[in-house]
Amino acid sequence: MSPILKQISTVFIPVRDIGKAREWYCDILGLPVDGEILFGHLYIIPMNGTRIVLDSKIYSEDRTFKTPAFHFDTLNIVEAYTYMQSKNVNITTPIEHDKWFNFLDPDGNWLMICQC
């Protein structure tokens, strides 16, 4: 029996500027930009389930996600796609198989939204 739990609690995303990244992620997720930046380089995005931590201390261009390491969920992929377009997000794929699309954050991290 393994002492390691079968769950992921946090995903770290490398970002260049913690303040700007906090504003961008909070904007696309519809969250207030009022959470504290910890230790000058960490911001924990309030999420349901697995947390996301933005971290400017670990940032370098070669450490950004070159492929999505996770996906944000949606109940309506077309609505999510239209919403991200309205936010002028850099969308890198069309909606694929009526289920998902990829986009970039301002630091070049590849992310995904998926209707599951």
Side-chain angles (χ1 to χ4, degrees), residues 45 62 67 98:
I45 299 175
D62 63 322
T67 186
D98 298 321

Side-chain angles (χ1 to χ4, degrees), residues 24-53:
W24 188 84
Y25 277 87
C26 286
D27 181 49
I28 67 162
L29 293 170
L31 298 168
V33 185
D34 58 3
E36 182 182 359
I37 293 174
L38 305 171
F39 313 109
H41 68 96
L42 296 170
Y43 180 69
I44 302 167
I45 299 175
M47 302 284 291
N48 298 325
T50 302
R51 293 171 296 220
I52 294 175
V53 175

